[in-house]
């Protein structure tokens, strides 16, 4: 089983960025832990701060991989183009967020992506990613 994790803007700064919201761990070290939970899954990780690169990655893996876990960061709340890309591909996408976006500013309550996703997970810290990967297996 092949699963792609895609992180969007500012998530390269996890561990440094607003630690009271996003925690103290960088994604690279978390990704090593995550691979340990799922020995039998071929997990890949991609991060970009650029909307078009996220769309290109969705197109690249979206007709052959078994699942995509996408944290599009603030593009979640602004990008009809990423929503269209999810609608266009065949691979199911799960939208994830580290924080509980519904307990935050109003502009974070709307997602342009959720409608096209298999499901949405938010508010479990980095564990949101593990739960999302797990849900592709069962
Ligand atoms: C986020 C929530 C978004 O609102 C925010 O813009 C992010 C991170 C999260 O993982 O909690 O960059 O997607």
């Amino acid at each position: 089983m092949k699963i792609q994790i895609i992180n969007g803007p500012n998530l390269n700064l996890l561990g440094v960025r607003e630690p009271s919201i996003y925690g103290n761990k960088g994604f690279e070290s978390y990704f090593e832990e995550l691979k340990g939970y799922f020995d039998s899954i071929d997990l890949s990780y991609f991060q970009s701060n650029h909307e078009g690169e996220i769309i290109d990655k969705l197109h690249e893996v979206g007709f052959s991989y078994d699942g995509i876990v996408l944290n599009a960061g603030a593009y979640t709340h602004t990008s009809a183009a990423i929503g269209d890309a999810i609608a266009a591909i065949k691979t199911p996408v799960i939208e994830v967020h580290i924080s509980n976006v519904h307990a935050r500013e109003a502009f974070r309550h709307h997602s342009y992506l959720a409608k096209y996703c298999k499901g949405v997970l938010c508010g479990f810290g980095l564990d949101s990613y593990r739960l999302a990967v797990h849900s592709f297996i069962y």
Side-chain angles (χ1 to χ4, degrees):
M1 176 176 273
K2 278 167 89 96
I3 294 183
Q4 176 74 52
I5 294 175
I6 302 177
N7 272 345
N10 301 305
L11 292 163
N12 54 311
L13 293 182
L14 279 181
V16 177
R17 169 193 189 200
E18 300 183 273
S20 60
I21 299 173
Y22 300 113
N24 295 303
K25 197 175 285 179
F27 199 83
E28 274 76 7
S29 67
Y30 174 71
F31 185 59
E32 291 308 309
E33 268 176 51
L34 192 62
K35 284 192 285 190
Y37 282 112
F38 300 108
D39 294 347
S40 57
I41 296 183
D42 182 354
L43 268 181
S44 335
Y45 167 54
F46 174 78
Q47 190 276 331
S48 175
N49 293 320
H50 303 277
E51 189 174 19
E53 287 183 3
I54 294 166
I55 292 167
D56 287 345
K57 182 53 82 174
L58 288 166
H59 294 176
E60 181 192 320
V61 301
F63 295 91
S64 55
Y65 279 46
D66 302 294
I68 297 170
V69 176
L70 172 63
N71 185 348
Y75 285 141
T76 306
H77 319 300
T78 63
S79 180
I82 294 178
D84 282 353
I86 296 169
I89 62 177
K90 294 264 183 273
T91 301
V93 176
I94 297 180
E95 175 183 327
V96 301
H97 301 284
I98 297 163
S99 63
N100 178 359
V101 287
H102 300 289
R104 301 182 63 194
E105 301 96 317
F107 78 87
R108 297 185 204 274
H109 299 175
H110 179 257
S111 167
Y112 279 89
L113 319 184
K115 178 177 195 287
Y116 306 109
C117 289
K118 182 178 180 207
V120 180
L121 272 159
C122 73
F124 296 96
L126 285 170
D127 211 31
S128 298
Y129 294 87
R130 186 184 62 81
L131 295 167
V133 173
H134 182 84
S135 79
F136 279 120
I137 308 173
Y138 299 101

